[in-house]
Amino acid sequence: MSYHVIHFDEIDSTNSYLKNSYKLLDNFTFVTAAYQSKGKGRNNRAWSSNKGENLMFSFLIKDTSLLKKYSALSILSAVEVAKSLEAYNFKDVSIKWPNDVLIGDKKVCGILLEGQILEYIVIGIGLNVNQKVFPIDLRRPATSLSLEAKKDFDINVLERKLFDNIVTSFKNINNNDFMTYLQSHNYLLNKRVKTIVNGETFIGEVVGMDYNFNLQIRANDMLLHIDSGEIEIL
């Protein structure tokens, strides 16, 4: 499998490293870290992780054909994480649009996409593996593979399998295949939610996802296609 891996014992942010160094690095360069001092999630929220207990990494996309499909890459990454967890026999795995992976109702993985669309994209992934205790003030309850399976996991083995799957999937994107998976693993499906579009608040029911990876919400006799933003479950 053709990709490069750079590992740090400690770094401020693997996403930041790739954003600052992308001109010098190859497509599918993965950067991992045992600890990130300034890890972050969506909307600049802090991402806290105990040193050496989780799989924290980012990877670089520079391939022009992939950059043209940027709207699919974050959700495709979530699909590959979810599939990897199911390969380890985890049950009740789902994807919470746009880029969280859940086991049951608890978040086990978060994904952050950054970059300059015409030049490069960096996709950062934080997967809770062996961490047992999480802050009590998280926006969504968190879990880890260890907590769910009642055993610890070899992070290096998990890493290699996930990296292989990501590269293979990205090189052979088939929208029909992963849209089918998304539709059957859509955590928000049939849930009543609130969202804000152009300053207007809408309350409705999630009815699916379209082929542009927008969330479909039926509200006020309209079918909304939401391409970004926050979704609040009611």
Side-chain angles (χ1 to χ4, degrees):
M1 197 62 60
S2 178
Y3 57 85
H4 305 282
V5 179
I6 301 170
H7 178 74
F8 292 93
D9 185 59
E10 183 173 335
I11 195 174
D12 57 351
S13 163
T14 54
N15 262 35
S16 294
Y17 177 87
L18 285 176
K19 287 164 62 179
N20 292 333
S21 309
Y22 77 93
K23 290 182 179 180
L24 306 174
L25 299 172
D26 294 328
N27 190 52
F28 286 124
T29 295
F30 287 76
V31 178
T32 64
Y35 178 73
Q36 294 187 86
S37 61
K38 296 181 180 179
K40 61 181 179 179
R42 293 181 69 233
N43 299 322
N44 286 317
R45 298 188 185 104
W47 180 280
S48 177
S49 173
N50 293 347
K51 185 172 183 178
E53 294 186 353
N54 302 313
L55 179 52
M56 316 292 292
F57 69 94
S58 304
F59 62 100
L60 177 65
I61 299 297
K62 295 171 71 174
D63 179 85
T64 303
S65 62
L66 286 174
L67 293 178
K68 292 178 180 177
K69 300 175 180 178
Y70 73 93
S71 62
L73 300 186
S74 179
I75 200 77
L76 178 57
S77 299
V79 167
E80 290 310 312
V81 171
K83 285 182 175 179
S84 294
L85 299 189
E86 291 189 322
Y88 276 87
N89 294 317
F90 284 98
K91 308 299 182 184
D92 201 15
V93 176
S94 63
I95 296 168
K96 181 178 178 291
W97 183 93
N99 48 17
D100 288 342
V101 180
L102 279 60
I103 297 178
D105 292 316
K106 296 181 178 180
K107 182 174 176 177
V108 73
C109 175
I111 298 170
L112 175 66
L113 187 148
E114 298 183 293
Q116 300 175 30
I117 293 171
L118 297 180
E119 287 190 65
Y120 75 96
I121 288 172
V122 171
I123 301 174
I125 297 180
L127 176 62
N128 298 330
V129 182
N130 292 325
Q131 187 165 329
K132 309 292 193 302
V133 179
F134 295 90
I136 61 174
D137 59 346
L138 295 175
R139 296 178 68 251
R140 169 171 290 278
T143 190
S144 68
L145 306 189
S146 178
L147 286 174
E148 296 296 323
K150 306 297 190 293
K151 67 176 184 179
D152 282 353
F153 289 80
D154 187 323
I155 293 177
N156 292 326
V157 172
L158 185 65
E159 173 187 298
R160 288 194 296 272
K161 289 181 178 180
L162 183 54
F163 289 6
D164 285 349
N165 291 344
I166 286 173
V167 174
T168 299
S169 182
F170 273 56
K171 287 184 175 180
N172 301 280
I173 290 181
N174 184 319
N175 283 9
N176 290 331
D177 284 350
F178 82 86
M179 274 302 301
T180 299
Y181 186 91
L182 269 175
Q183 298 288 16
S184 64
H185 291 74
N186 183 354
Y187 178 79
L188 294 174
L189 186 64
N190 300 324
K191 287 184 169 58
R192 187 170 172 81
V193 299
K194 179 170 73 173
T195 188
I196 298 175
V197 179
N198 297 326
E200 185 175 357
T201 299
F202 292 90
I203 294 176
E205 180 182 341
V206 175
V207 295
M209 199 175 300
D210 65 27
Y211 276 83
N212 291 316
F213 315 104
N214 299 322
L215 195 67
Q216 295 174 309
I217 300 174
R218 189 170 299 283
N220 302 339
D221 296 323
M222 295 183 296
L223 183 61
L224 305 176
H225 295 257
I226 309 299
D227 61 0
S228 62
E230 294 290 323
I231 301 294
E232 179 183 348
I233 300 174
L234 300 178

